[in-house]
Amino acid sequence: MSAWSRSLDTAGIREPELRSDYGAQRELVARFRRSAYLAARTLLPRPLLPHVVAATAVMHHGDDLLDTGPEPLRAKAWEEFRRHVREALASGRSTDPMIRALMHTIGAHPRLRDVVEAYLSTADAELEFTGFADEADYQVYLDAYSMPAFLLVGILLAPEGDDGPYRTACRTLIDGTQRLDFVNDLAEDAREGRTGVPARTLERFSVTARDIAAGRASPGVGALVRHQIEAARADLLTARELPALTSSPYSALIVALIDIELLTADAALARGTGLLHGSAKPPVAGALRVLLGARRRARRQR
Protein backbone atom coordinates (compact mmCIF):
# COMPACT_ATOMS: atom_id res chain seq x y z
CA MET A 1 0.00 0.00 0.00
CA SER A 2 1.39 3.43 -0.97
CA ALA A 3 1.95 6.23 1.52
CA TRP A 4 -0.82 8.22 -0.21
CA SER A 5 -3.30 5.34 0.17
CA ARG A 6 -2.42 5.06 3.85
CA SER A 7 -3.01 8.80 4.24
CA LEU A 8 -6.46 8.46 2.67
CA ASP A 9 -7.24 5.53 4.97
CA THR A 10 -6.15 7.31 8.13
CA ALA A 11 -8.17 10.37 7.07
CA GLY A 12 -11.25 8.14 6.75
CA ILE A 13 -11.52 8.69 3.00
CA ARG A 14 -12.58 5.22 1.84
CA GLU A 15 -15.22 5.71 -0.87
CA PRO A 16 -13.58 4.93 -4.25
CA GLU A 17 -14.94 7.99 -6.06
CA LEU A 18 -13.86 10.31 -3.25
CA ARG A 19 -10.41 8.74 -3.14
CA SER A 20 -10.17 9.39 -6.87
CA ASP A 21 -11.23 13.02 -6.32
CA TYR A 22 -8.45 13.53 -3.79
CA GLY A 23 -5.97 11.72 -6.03
CA ALA A 24 -6.68 14.15 -8.86
CA GLN A 25 -5.96 17.08 -6.54
CA ARG A 26 -2.71 15.45 -5.42
CA GLU A 27 -1.54 15.28 -9.06
CA LEU A 28 -2.39 18.95 -9.61
CA VAL A 29 -0.57 20.10 -6.46
CA ALA A 30 2.52 17.99 -7.17
CA ARG A 31 2.78 19.47 -10.68
CA PHE A 32 2.38 23.05 -9.53
CA ARG A 33 5.08 23.20 -6.84
CA ARG A 34 6.87 19.91 -6.31
CA SER A 35 9.05 21.04 -3.40
CA ALA A 36 6.09 22.24 -1.32
CA TYR A 37 4.19 19.02 -2.01
CA LEU A 38 7.19 16.90 -0.99
CA ALA A 39 7.49 18.92 2.21
CA ALA A 40 3.82 18.33 3.04
CA ARG A 41 4.03 14.61 2.21
CA THR A 42 7.16 14.22 4.32
CA LEU A 43 6.22 16.33 7.32
CA LEU A 44 2.46 16.31 7.83
CA PRO A 45 0.67 13.68 9.89
CA ARG A 46 -1.00 11.26 7.48
CA PRO A 47 -4.63 12.10 8.41
CA LEU A 48 -4.13 15.77 7.49
CA LEU A 49 -2.25 15.38 4.21
CA PRO A 50 -5.28 14.75 1.92
CA HIS A 51 -7.07 17.78 3.38
CA VAL A 52 -4.07 20.07 2.88
CA VAL A 53 -3.80 18.76 -0.69
CA ALA A 54 -7.49 19.50 -1.36
CA ALA A 55 -7.24 23.06 -0.02
CA THR A 56 -3.96 23.70 -1.84
CA ALA A 57 -5.50 22.52 -5.12
CA VAL A 58 -8.29 25.09 -4.77
CA MET A 59 -5.73 27.82 -4.06
CA HIS A 60 -3.63 26.91 -7.13
CA HIS A 61 -6.67 26.48 -9.38
CA GLY A 62 -8.10 29.83 -8.33
CA ASP A 63 -4.76 31.53 -8.93
CA ASP A 64 -4.57 30.00 -12.40
CA LEU A 65 -8.11 31.10 -13.30
CA LEU A 66 -7.51 34.65 -12.05
CA ASP A 67 -4.09 35.08 -13.61
CA THR A 68 -4.04 33.29 -16.98
CA GLY A 69 -5.36 34.62 -20.29
CA PRO A 70 -7.26 37.72 -21.45
CA GLU A 71 -9.15 39.55 -18.71
CA PRO A 72 -12.70 38.84 -20.04
CA LEU A 73 -12.01 35.10 -20.20
CA ARG A 74 -10.40 35.13 -16.74
CA ALA A 75 -13.39 36.97 -15.29
CA LYS A 76 -15.84 34.51 -16.84
CA ALA A 77 -13.90 31.43 -15.71
CA TRP A 78 -13.48 32.75 -12.17
CA GLU A 79 -17.15 33.68 -11.84
CA GLU A 80 -18.20 30.22 -13.00
CA PHE A 81 -15.88 28.50 -10.53
CA ARG A 82 -16.99 30.79 -7.69
CA ARG A 83 -20.65 30.07 -8.47
CA HIS A 84 -20.04 26.32 -8.44
CA VAL A 85 -18.25 26.47 -5.09
CA ARG A 86 -20.98 28.61 -3.55
CA GLU A 87 -23.65 26.24 -4.84
CA ALA A 88 -21.78 23.35 -3.25
CA LEU A 89 -21.44 25.23 0.03
CA ALA A 90 -25.21 25.71 0.03
CA SER A 91 -26.19 22.20 -1.07
CA GLY A 92 -23.26 20.03 0.01
CA ARG A 93 -23.11 18.49 -3.47
CA SER A 94 -21.04 18.98 -6.63
CA THR A 95 -20.19 17.17 -9.85
CA ASP A 96 -16.67 18.65 -9.85
CA PRO A 97 -13.95 16.41 -8.30
CA MET A 98 -12.04 19.38 -6.87
CA ILE A 99 -15.11 20.84 -5.24
CA ARG A 100 -16.26 17.44 -3.95
CA ALA A 101 -12.89 16.98 -2.25
CA LEU A 102 -13.11 20.52 -0.84
CA MET A 103 -16.60 19.88 0.58
CA HIS A 104 -15.42 16.68 2.27
CA THR A 105 -12.46 18.54 3.77
CA ILE A 106 -14.76 21.29 5.05
CA GLY A 107 -16.83 18.54 6.71
CA ALA A 108 -13.70 17.30 8.47
CA HIS A 109 -12.41 20.82 9.27
CA PRO A 110 -15.43 23.14 9.65
CA ARG A 111 -13.31 26.28 10.24
CA LEU A 112 -12.36 26.11 6.58
CA ARG A 113 -15.89 27.09 5.47
CA ASP A 114 -15.58 30.72 6.61
CA VAL A 115 -12.13 30.98 5.04
CA VAL A 116 -13.43 29.68 1.69
CA GLU A 117 -16.32 32.13 1.76
CA ALA A 118 -13.94 35.02 2.53
CA TYR A 119 -11.62 33.96 -0.28
CA LEU A 120 -14.47 33.80 -2.79
CA SER A 121 -15.62 37.27 -1.75
CA THR A 122 -12.30 39.08 -2.12
CA ALA A 123 -10.20 37.17 -4.71
CA ASP A 124 -11.34 39.56 -7.46
CA ALA A 125 -8.41 41.69 -6.28
CA GLU A 126 -6.13 39.38 -8.26
CA LEU A 127 -8.37 39.59 -11.32
CA GLU A 128 -8.28 43.38 -11.20
CA PHE A 129 -4.58 43.67 -10.38
CA THR A 130 -2.59 45.79 -12.86
CA GLY A 131 0.05 47.12 -10.48
CA PHE A 132 0.36 49.26 -7.35
CA ALA A 133 0.69 52.99 -7.00
CA ASP A 134 2.44 52.74 -3.64
CA GLU A 135 3.12 50.49 -0.66
CA ALA A 136 -0.37 51.08 0.74
CA ASP A 137 -1.92 49.66 -2.44
CA TYR A 138 0.28 46.59 -2.11
CA GLN A 139 -0.83 46.06 1.49
CA VAL A 140 -4.49 46.28 0.46
CA TYR A 141 -3.84 43.57 -2.13
CA LEU A 142 -2.27 41.34 0.53
CA ASP A 143 -5.36 41.62 2.71
CA ALA A 144 -7.80 41.12 -0.16
CA TYR A 145 -6.10 38.26 -2.01
CA SER A 146 -2.80 36.88 -0.71
CA MET A 147 -3.84 36.35 2.90
CA PRO A 148 -7.26 34.77 2.20
CA ALA A 149 -5.66 32.48 -0.39
CA PHE A 150 -2.97 31.36 2.07
CA LEU A 151 -5.51 30.74 4.82
CA LEU A 152 -7.22 28.12 2.67
CA VAL A 153 -4.31 25.95 3.78
CA GLY A 154 -3.17 27.90 6.83
CA ILE A 155 -6.42 27.42 8.74
CA LEU A 156 -5.85 23.65 8.64
CA LEU A 157 -2.60 24.15 10.59
CA ALA A 158 -3.99 26.71 13.05
CA PRO A 159 -4.18 26.05 16.78
CA GLU A 160 -7.53 25.44 18.40
CA GLY A 161 -9.10 28.35 20.23
CA ASP A 162 -7.81 31.91 19.82
CA ASP A 163 -5.86 31.96 16.55
CA GLY A 164 -5.39 35.74 16.44
CA PRO A 165 -1.61 35.68 17.06
CA TYR A 166 -1.29 32.84 14.56
CA ARG A 167 -3.11 34.83 11.86
CA THR A 168 -0.96 37.89 12.56
CA ALA A 169 2.19 35.82 12.07
CA CYS A 170 0.70 34.30 8.90
CA ARG A 171 0.17 37.84 7.60
CA THR A 172 3.86 38.61 8.15
CA LEU A 173 4.86 35.40 6.36
CA ILE A 174 2.60 36.21 3.41
CA ASP A 175 4.00 39.72 3.15
CA GLY A 176 7.47 38.22 2.80
CA THR A 177 6.56 35.45 0.37
CA GLN A 178 4.42 37.69 -1.83
CA ARG A 179 7.05 40.43 -2.04
CA LEU A 180 9.65 37.79 -2.91
CA ASP A 181 7.38 36.30 -5.58
CA PHE A 182 6.84 39.71 -7.15
CA VAL A 183 10.54 40.56 -7.38
CA ASN A 184 11.41 37.03 -8.52
CA ASP A 185 8.84 37.29 -11.34
CA LEU A 186 9.75 40.90 -12.10
CA ALA A 187 10.43 40.54 -15.82
CA GLU A 188 7.57 38.18 -16.61
CA ASP A 189 5.01 40.39 -14.86
CA ALA A 190 6.33 43.55 -16.56
CA ARG A 191 6.08 41.92 -19.99
CA GLU A 192 2.44 41.15 -19.17
CA GLY A 193 1.85 44.84 -18.52
CA ARG A 194 1.97 44.94 -14.73
CA THR A 195 4.52 44.83 -11.94
CA GLY A 196 4.26 43.83 -8.31
CA VAL A 197 6.75 46.50 -7.25
CA PRO A 198 4.86 49.73 -6.43
CA ALA A 199 5.31 52.60 -8.89
CA ARG A 200 6.64 54.88 -6.12
CA THR A 201 9.33 52.33 -5.31
CA LEU A 202 10.33 52.08 -8.99
CA GLU A 203 10.60 55.88 -9.10
CA ARG A 204 12.79 55.88 -6.00
CA PHE A 205 15.36 53.74 -7.84
CA SER A 206 14.93 55.54 -11.20
CA VAL A 207 13.58 52.38 -12.83
CA THR A 208 10.57 52.10 -15.15
CA ALA A 209 8.35 49.15 -15.95
CA ARG A 210 9.46 49.58 -19.56
CA ASP A 211 13.12 49.14 -18.51
CA ILE A 212 12.22 45.91 -16.72
CA ALA A 213 10.12 44.54 -19.57
CA ALA A 214 12.96 45.26 -22.00
CA GLY A 215 15.49 43.52 -19.74
CA ARG A 216 17.66 46.62 -19.36
CA ALA A 217 20.00 46.03 -16.42
CA SER A 218 21.25 49.08 -14.54
CA PRO A 219 22.58 50.00 -11.10
CA GLY A 220 19.07 51.15 -10.26
CA VAL A 221 17.58 47.76 -11.11
CA GLY A 222 20.24 46.05 -9.01
CA ALA A 223 19.52 48.33 -6.04
CA LEU A 224 15.77 47.82 -6.49
CA VAL A 225 16.13 44.03 -6.47
CA ARG A 226 18.28 44.14 -3.32
CA HIS A 227 15.82 46.45 -1.56
CA GLN A 228 12.81 44.25 -2.30
CA ILE A 229 14.56 41.02 -1.38
CA GLU A 230 15.91 42.46 1.87
CA ALA A 231 12.39 43.62 2.80
CA ALA A 232 11.04 40.16 2.01
CA ARG A 233 13.80 38.48 4.04
CA ALA A 234 13.05 40.69 7.05
CA ASP A 235 9.42 39.51 7.07
CA LEU A 236 10.41 35.88 6.51
CA LEU A 237 12.83 36.02 9.44
CA THR A 238 10.17 37.62 11.65
CA ALA A 239 7.74 34.88 10.57
CA ARG A 240 10.00 32.30 12.20
CA GLU A 241 7.84 32.85 15.29
CA LEU A 242 4.95 31.22 13.41
CA PRO A 243 5.88 27.56 14.08
CA ALA A 244 5.62 28.17 17.84
CA LEU A 245 2.05 29.42 17.28
CA THR A 246 1.10 26.46 15.09
CA SER A 247 -0.47 23.25 16.35
CA SER A 248 2.67 21.28 17.28
CA PRO A 249 2.32 18.33 14.84
CA TYR A 250 2.44 20.82 11.97
CA SER A 251 5.21 23.18 13.07
CA ALA A 252 7.97 21.26 11.26
CA LEU A 253 6.23 21.93 7.93
CA ILE A 254 6.04 25.66 8.60
CA VAL A 255 9.73 25.75 9.54
CA ALA A 256 10.63 23.97 6.29
CA LEU A 257 8.49 26.23 4.11
CA ILE A 258 9.99 29.38 5.64
CA ASP A 259 13.53 28.05 5.25
CA ILE A 260 12.91 27.15 1.60
CA GLU A 261 11.59 30.67 1.00
CA LEU A 262 14.78 32.05 2.57
CA LEU A 263 16.85 29.84 0.25
CA THR A 264 14.85 31.26 -2.66
CA ALA A 265 15.54 34.80 -1.43
CA ASP A 266 19.26 34.03 -1.28
CA ALA A 267 19.17 32.62 -4.81
CA ALA A 268 17.28 35.68 -6.09
CA LEU A 269 19.71 38.04 -4.39
CA ALA A 270 22.65 36.20 -5.97
CA ARG A 271 20.96 36.41 -9.37
CA GLY A 272 20.53 40.18 -9.04
CA THR A 273 19.71 41.89 -12.33
CA GLY A 274 19.68 38.40 -13.89
CA LEU A 275 16.09 38.26 -12.62
CA LEU A 276 15.27 40.36 -15.69
CA HIS A 277 15.84 37.18 -17.69
CA GLY A 278 14.33 34.53 -15.43
CA SER A 279 13.32 33.67 -11.89
CA ALA A 280 15.61 32.15 -9.26
CA LYS A 281 14.93 28.81 -7.57
CA PRO A 282 16.23 27.40 -4.30
CA PRO A 283 19.18 25.04 -4.76
CA VAL A 284 18.04 21.41 -4.79
CA ALA A 285 20.71 20.27 -2.33
CA GLY A 286 19.80 23.05 0.11
CA ALA A 287 16.09 22.28 -0.11
CA LEU A 288 16.77 18.59 0.56
CA ARG A 289 18.84 19.48 3.64
CA VAL A 290 15.95 21.59 4.91
CA LEU A 291 13.46 18.75 4.42
CA LEU A 292 15.70 16.17 6.08
CA GLY A 293 16.27 18.43 9.08
CA ALA A 294 12.56 19.17 9.36
CA ARG A 295 11.72 15.46 9.15
CA ARG A 296 14.05 14.73 12.08
CA ARG A 297 12.33 17.45 14.11
CA ALA A 298 8.88 16.14 13.17
CA ARG A 299 9.77 12.64 14.32
CA ARG A 300 10.95 13.96 17.68
CA GLN A 301 7.61 15.78 18.13
CA ARG A 302 5.49 12.67 17.53
Side-chain angles (χ1 to χ4, degrees), residues 29 57 85 116 144 263:
V29 170
V85 175
V116 169
L263 287 176

Side-chain angles (χ1 to χ4, degrees), residues 225-239:
V225 166
R226 287 192 300 275
H227 175 269
Q228 293 298 101
I229 293 174
E230 287 168 1
R233 277 184 58 85
D235 279 330
L236 292 170
L237 291 170
T238 301

Side-chain angles (χ1 to χ4, degrees), residues 195-213:
T195 176
V197 178
R200 295 271 177 84
T201 305
L202 293 176
E203 291 171 6
R204 175 180 165 188
F205 291 93
S206 301
V207 175
T208 68
R210 185 174 296 177
D211 293 333
I212 295 169

Side-chain angles (χ1 to χ4, degrees), residues 180 183-184 221-234 261-275 278-283:
L180 178 59
V183 70
N184 207 13
V221 170
L224 171 71
V225 166
R226 287 192 300 275
H227 175 269
Q228 293 298 101
I229 293 174
E230 287 168 1
R233 277 184 58 85
E261 287 294 305
L262 286 166
L263 287 176
T264 305
D266 290 343
L269 191 60
R271 193 167 177 80
T273 58
L275 292 176
S279 301
K281 294 181 179 180

Side-chain angles (χ1 to χ4, degrees), residues 146-161:
S146 305
M147 181 65 172
F150 174 79
L151 283 178
L152 291 172
V153 178
I155 197 65
L156 300 177
L157 311 178
E160 296 296 332

Side-chain angles (χ1 to χ4, degrees), residues 9-283:
D9 288 344
T10 57
I13 302 168
R14 300 185 180 277
E15 181 187 349
E17 183 180 47
L18 191 56
R19 289 171 77 93
S20 177
D21 292 342
Y22 276 91
Q25 308 325 307
R26 172 179 172 250
E27 292 175 6
L28 185 156
V29 170
R31 285 196 308 271
F32 186 85
R33 187 167 288 185
R34 188 74 179 175
S35 61
Y37 170 70
L38 289 174
R41 191 183 73 178
T42 303
L43 301 173
L44 283 178
R46 284 178 181 163
L48 188 65
L49 178 60
H51 299 302
V52 166
V53 164
T56 303
V58 171
M59 180 179 66
H60 290 335
H61 183 66
D63 186 67
D64 190 50
L65 292 178
L66 291 160
D67 196 41
T68 305
E71 194 277 336
L73 295 181
R74 287 187 282 128
K76 181 179 179 181
W78 168 247
E79 184 53 42
E80 183 177 357
F81 178 69
R82 176 163 58 185
R83 176 172 55 82
H84 287 163
V85 175
R86 283 176 168 164
E87 288 173 353
L89 288 170
S91 69
R93 299 185 301 274
S94 178
T95 60
D96 184 290
M98 177 179 290
I99 299 175
R100 283 198 302 262
L102 175 65
M103 290 303 105
H104 185 82
T105 287
I106 288 174
H109 298 272
R111 287 189 296 177
L112 179 58
R113 175 180 286 270
D114 288 344
V115 172
V116 169
E117 290 174 343
Y119 168 72
L120 294 175
S121 297
T122 63
D124 294 89
E126 172 67 5
L127 186 66
E128 298 162 359
F129 166 61
T130 58
F132 307 118
D134 52 26
E135 180 68 15
D137 274 358
Y138 165 71
Q139 295 295 331
V140 168
Y141 172 90
L142 287 184
D143 288 327
Y145 179 67
S146 305
M147 181 65 172
F150 174 79
L151 283 178
L152 291 172
V153 178
I155 197 65
L156 300 177
L157 311 178
E160 296 296 332
D162 180 14
D163 64 358
Y166 171 82
R167 289 189 183 228
T168 298
C170 284
R171 177 62 166 69
T172 301
L173 172 61
I174 289 308
D175 197 343
T177 59
Q178 184 65 78
R179 198 182 299 272
L180 178 59
D181 281 348
F182 276 142
V183 70
N184 207 13
D185 294 336
L186 197 61
E188 179 183 351
D189 288 346
R191 286 193 293 270
E192 292 175 356
R194 60 187 193 174
T195 176
V197 178
R200 295 271 177 84
T201 305
L202 293 176
E203 291 171 6
R204 175 180 165 188
F205 291 93
S206 301
V207 175
T208 68
R210 185 174 296 177
D211 293 333
I212 295 169
R216 288 194 285 268
S218 69
V221 170
L224 171 71
V225 166
R226 287 192 300 275
H227 175 269
Q228 293 298 101
I229 293 174
E230 287 168 1
R233 277 184 58 85
D235 279 330
L236 292 170
L237 291 170
T238 301
R240 279 182 158 168
E241 71 182 24
L242 180 57
L245 302 171
T246 305
S247 182
S248 61
Y250 317 140
S251 61
L253 175 64
I254 299 295
V255 170
L257 293 177
I258 292 172
D259 284 349
I260 289 173
E261 287 294 305
L262 286 166
L263 287 176
T264 305
D266 290 343
L269 191 60
R271 193 167 177 80
T273 58
L275 292 176
L276 295 176
H277 307 290
S279 301
K281 294 181 179 180

